[in-house]
């Protein structure tokens, strides 16, 4: 019997970075290399690397020591090969595939990166997706790589803000990430004992928020914590927010700033001294939690399993504790919004 030929497999990370990406890259590489016949090709800087042919071979040595490291050793970008500004992106992707005789590609990313993966699959390019986004708003999986770490960072920050809020009798507004969905805000808000949580799924009325804070202070509380997702929006016509700061290659507006508006409005309307903190990219940086390392490892192993079994156009995901494969198109159909029941649990503790 002749030897079964090895497969040349590309791997890339796209979109915003997230703690746990390196654990996923390591899992893909180690799994592929352990049989001794496959070649693992790391694509630099997400889809930008597929356009520009930036490819490095991953060896055991190249992935050694990366498991606990934040960020991504491959680099990432928000480049969209199908953006109108890119001329013949598909042709360039095909050229990189041909140059490196890549027979399969594993794309680790969120809705944008995996949206490109889905389109490439439709063009006959064999891709498997791995879900990553600290926002946790991707369908087809209970949880995405990076969410657990980001939530822990946000909860730790809320704990710290609590003691200074209490010492100064202040309202503290904490703005966390979460463009379409309030997963981080709600999880960190529950874990940190937030007195109000504002999320994109539920437009807020600033007067109601202020009335709630007044009632709390009338009951003898001298400080409050308000957790707001960056995508939280006021009920139409109730409050002027800041203008967006431009868009990326996928057409997303750069968010960040609802905390500024809330600080100003809460202080003016209630008379309570108010301060805001925008956690921003701190939530995406640094060491992944053990949970994210394990999740990323399991998903990386499963992605390699799908590739070697010849199953493409799928995303690996975690459901009810098990690792599953879902159709990429189905995973991307709509953003995974917060479970309303979870918000109701959080509400029980407001005030
Ligand atoms: O990756 C998702 C996300 O963290 C969003 O919550 C946030 O709006 C966005 O990334 C910020 O992206 P960038 O790093 O490009 O500013």
């Amino acid at each position: 019997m002749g030897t079964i030929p090895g497969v040349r497999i590309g791997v890339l990370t796209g979109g915003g970075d997230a703690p746990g990406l390196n654990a996923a890259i390591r899992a893909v590489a180690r799994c592929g290399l352990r049989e001794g016949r496959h070649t693992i090709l790391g694509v630099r800087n997400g889809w930008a690397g597929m356009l520009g042919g930036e490819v490095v071979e991953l060896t055991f040595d190249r992935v050694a020591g990366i498991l606990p490291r934040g960020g991504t050793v491959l680099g990432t970008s928000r480049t969209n090969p199908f953006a109108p500004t890119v001329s013949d992106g598909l042709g360039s992707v095909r050229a990189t595939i041909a140059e490196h005789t890549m027979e399969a590609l594993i794309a680790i990313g969120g809705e944008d990166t995996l949206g490109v993966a889905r389109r490439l699959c439709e063009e006959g390019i064999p891709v498997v997706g791995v879900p990553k986004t600290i926002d946790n708003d991707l369908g087809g999986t209970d949880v995405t790589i990076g969410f657990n770490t980001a939530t822990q960072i946000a909860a730790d920050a809320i704990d710290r803000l609590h003691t200074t809020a209490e010492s100064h009798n202040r309202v503290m507004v904490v703005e966390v990430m979460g463009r379409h969905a309030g997963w981080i805000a709600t999880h960190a808000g529950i874990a940190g004992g937030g007195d109000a949580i504002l999320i994109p799924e539920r437009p807020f009325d600033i007067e109601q928020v202020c009335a709630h804070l007044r009632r709390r202070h009338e009951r003898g509380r001298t400080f409050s914590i308000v957790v707001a997702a960056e995508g939280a929006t006021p009920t139409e016509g109730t409050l002027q927010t800041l203008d967006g700061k431009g868009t990326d290659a996928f057409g997303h507006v750069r968010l960040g700033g609802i905390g500024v508006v809330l600080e100003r409005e809460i202080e003016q309307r209630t008379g309570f001294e108010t301060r805001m903190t925008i956690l921003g990219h701190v939530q995406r940086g640094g060491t992944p939690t053990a949970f994210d390392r394990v999740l990323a490892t399991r998903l990386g192993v499963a992605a390699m399993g799908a590739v070697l079994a010849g199953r493409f156009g799928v995303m690996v995901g975690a459901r009810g504790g098990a690792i599953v494969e879902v159709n990429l198109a189905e995973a991307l159909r709509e953003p995974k919004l917060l479970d309303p029941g979870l918000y109701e649990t959080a509400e029980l503790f407001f005030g």
Side-chain angles (χ1 to χ4, degrees):
M1 227 169 73
T3 16
I4 305 164
V7 184
R8 293 175 63 82
I9 305 154
V11 56
L12 65 80
T13 53
D17 69 341
L21 282 174
N22 285 325
I25 295 166
R26 168 182 175 269
V28 165
R30 291 275 299 264
C31 262
L33 294 173
R34 71 194 291 271
E35 287 187 37
R37 59 199 165 90
H38 307 305
T39 304
I40 310 300
L41 303 162
V43 179
R44 305 272 315 149
N45 305 321
W47 295 118
M50 285 304 286
L51 293 178
E54 298 170 78
V55 175
V56 286
E57 190 171 332
L58 296 183
T59 58
F60 278 108
D61 278 352
R62 274 227 162 96
V63 298
I66 68 172
L67 173 64
R69 277 173 59 190
T72 159
V73 290
L74 290 177
T76 187
S77 71
R78 293 200 182 275
T79 301
N80 177 4
F82 295 104
T85 45
V86 177
S87 134
D88 193 19
L90 181 58
S92 304
V93 169
R94 285 197 198 282
T96 299
I97 289 173
E99 188 189 339
H100 296 275
T101 40
M102 229 179 247
E103 296 161 86
L105 184 59
I106 295 175
I108 310 172
E111 54 163 335
D112 298 329
T113 304
L114 300 186
V116 172
R118 190 203 58 210
R119 285 185 70 175
L120 293 176
C121 285
E122 284 163 10
E123 299 292 340
I125 296 171
V127 192
V128 169
V130 177
K132 165 278 341 172
T133 164
I134 66 160
D135 290 5
N136 196 35
D137 58 358
L138 204 54
T141 185
D142 295 343
V143 65
T144 51
I145 296 170
F147 168 63
N148 183 266
T149 307
T151 300
Q152 189 60 55
I153 293 169
D156 288 345
I158 295 171
D159 285 349
R160 289 178 186 278
L161 291 167
H162 246 115
T163 61
T164 169
E166 196 168 4
S167 305
H168 284 268
N169 303 327
R170 283 173 173 160
V171 175
M172 287 289 184
V173 175
V174 194
E175 180 184 312
V176 299
M177 282 190 176
R179 171 176 289 278
H180 308 296
W183 290 101
I184 298 178
T186 307
H187 274 247
I190 292 174
D195 301 301
I197 301 174
L198 311 180
I199 59 171
E201 293 89 334
R202 297 192 174 211
F204 67 88
D205 179 331
I206 187 66
E207 244 330 297
Q208 277 176 16
V209 174
C210 291
H212 169 70
L213 296 177
R214 279 190 215 102
R215 279 196 299 277
R216 174 178 153 83
H217 288 225
E218 276 158 23
R219 285 204 319 275
R221 296 282 174 258
T222 56
F223 71 93
S224 295
I225 303 283
V226 177
V227 186
E230 63 181 345
T233 44
T235 315
E236 214 181 322
T238 55
L239 187 62
Q240 180 67 41
T241 51
L242 304 177
D243 287 339
K245 304 177 217 158
T247 53
D248 65 21
F250 290 90
H252 300 306
V253 175
R254 249 178 83 195
L255 294 176
I258 190 67
V260 177
V261 177
L262 287 167
E263 178 192 68
R264 185 191 64 211
E265 293 296 322
I266 291 172
E267 186 160 289
Q268 275 175 10
R269 289 170 193 246
T270 62
F272 302 145
E273 199 181 355
T274 306
R275 295 285 189 274
M276 67 90 198
T277 301
I278 299 179
L279 288 186
H281 294 77
V282 167
Q283 294 158 97
R284 294 217 313 239
T287 311
T289 56
F291 180 94
D292 269 326
R293 296 182 210 185
V294 174
L295 175 69
T297 300
R298 294 178 77 197
L299 292 174
V301 169
M304 186 51 81
V307 165
L308 295 180
R311 291 190 297 272
F312 298 106
V314 295
M315 183 191 86
V316 290
R319 274 201 177 145
I323 300 297
V324 296
E325 284 175 20
V326 289
N327 189 278
L328 256 177
E330 189 195 320
L332 293 166
R333 187 158 298 133
E334 52 188 27
K336 182 182 71 200
L337 301 183
L338 186 76
D339 167 13
L342 187 64
Y343 193 81
E344 281 157 27
T345 299
E347 274 179 319
L348 296 174
F349 299 91
F350 286 181

